[in-house]
Amino acid sequence: MTAGTAAPDVDALRSLAAEIALEAGELARRRRAEGVSIAATKSTLADIVTEADREVEQLIRDRLDAERPGDGFLGEESGGDPGTTGVTWVVDPIDGTVNYAGGFPTYCVSIAAVAGGDDPDTWSALAGVVHAPVLGELFTAARGHGARLGAVPLQVSTENPAGALLGTGFGYDPATHDGDLATVRRVLPLVRDLRRMGAAALDLAYVAAGRLDGYFERGLKPWDFAAGALLVEEAGGRFERLVEPGSARRMCVAGSAELVADLVERIRAVP
Ligand code: IPD
């Protein structure tokens, strides 16, 4: 917080994020029903942005500007603005864009409020919401106040006697796929089964809800995990971004503390 600024009311931030995520999700769902149009490709041909990603992010940004002028913003599609209040909103308007474009229901709006700037290594997440409009689910969390699905409190799973049900994902750059597959091979002995849902924020919300025991993925961007990481932590779990010499694509790992420790050991094992 800047000097003299009162500590933010994290429940109010959660409520505002939830209200805006519901509006944004409705816009995304409506635009999808009208037909999707690919606006551009980003890092690789597989990394797409639709017109709806841009329109939904603009809606979120406009609503936040109106409700909380002066807050910072970091969005997947429109970039950053540091703001003046010490609170920054980190937004993925449509996480799971490839699912969205392909007509899969597993996409979501992800909105987080963080304190301390837009660097995930130093920020402290205050509130986060993940809303999957087609699934009709709203996951919310506020720092120190727990995580919920609707009104139901969430708790990460701690028992997985048949092995862990894990989510994962692969980056859009084909050059990274061999490394990702080598990681999967090292992790498989811990696993009951693997899911690749295609929306990192939703994967993390599912870990918070105990649907997935854990999750790992290399190379996520801040807007992919800002809200989901807080959901996991507030549901009693752990979220880590590993620092690995020689790799700029940081590995994110989530789950119970015990599972995360086991996953990290496997991920770091020399092949
Ligand atoms: C992507 C999804 C995907 C993950 C990618 C992300 P986007 O986000 O979360 O599951 O594997 O790493 O970039 O591009 O759909 O917002």
Side-chain angles (χ1 to χ4, degrees):
M1 297 298 95
T2 44
T5 313
D9 174 346
V10 293
D11 266 327
L13 295 175
R14 163 173 30 198
S15 299
L16 177 61
E19 184 186 311
I20 296 175
L22 288 169
E23 273 178 48
E26 177 51 27
L27 176 61
R29 206 193 49 72
R30 209 167 58 238
R31 287 288 178 262
R32 184 65 187 75
E34 289 163 0
V36 78
S37 89
I38 310 297
T41 56
K42 296 191 284 187
S43 56
T44 66
L45 272 182
D47 189 4
I48 54 170
V49 53
T50 69
E51 292 295 350
D53 286 89
R54 291 175 174 170
E55 192 183 352
V56 173
E57 182 158 316
Q58 195 59 51
L59 177 150
I60 296 168
R61 200 164 182 164
D62 290 347
R63 289 282 279 106
L64 288 168
D65 274 349
E67 296 287 336
R68 292 190 50 97
D71 282 358
F73 187 87
L74 176 65
E76 177 170 19
E77 313 305 342
S78 63
D81 168 358
T84 54
T85 62
V87 173
T88 302
W89 293 90
V90 185
V91 170
D92 192 339
I94 300 178
D95 181 47
T97 305
V98 173
N99 285 347
Y100 182 76
F104 288 70
T106 37
Y107 66 87
C108 60
V109 178
S110 175
I111 303 179
V114 305
D118 63 6
D119 178 353
D121 281 334
T122 50
W123 77 35
S124 164
L126 303 169
V129 309
V130 171
H131 171 47
V134 179
L135 306 176
E137 293 194 314
L138 177 67
F139 300 86
T140 69
R143 169 76 59 202
H145 295 232
R148 304 194 298 241
L149 168 54
V152 179
L154 299 180
Q155 179 66 48
V156 296
S157 79
T158 49
E159 301 290 325
N160 37 61
L165 182 59
L166 299 182
T168 191
F170 307 103
Y172 293 124
D173 180 358
T176 62
H177 289 167
D178 276 353
D180 288 340
L181 290 175
T183 303
V184 167
R185 204 171 301 117
R186 289 205 292 284
V187 164
L188 274 177
L190 296 177
V191 160
R192 172 189 196 175
D193 206 348
L194 271 187
R195 297 286 178 270
R196 195 289 187 251
M197 189 155 57
L202 205 52
D203 284 314
L204 289 164
Y206 274 33
V207 172
R211 294 174 179 172
L212 289 172
D213 297 308
Y215 167 74
F216 63 98
E217 180 168 352
R218 216 180 272 284
L220 293 183
K221 300 290 193 304
W223 41 81
D224 295 320
F225 63 79
L230 183 65
L231 284 164
V232 170
E233 289 171 354
E234 286 298 319
R238 179 166 296 180
F239 174 87
E240 284 190 23
R241 270 173 88 227
L242 310 183
V243 179
E244 294 164 294
S247 174
R249 294 174 68 236
R250 304 264 298 266
M251 173 64 83
C252 293
V253 190
S256 69
E258 195 185 349
L259 180 61
V260 167
D262 289 348
L263 284 169
V264 170
E265 193 181 329
R266 291 265 165 193
I267 288 163
R268 287 194 162 141
V270 179

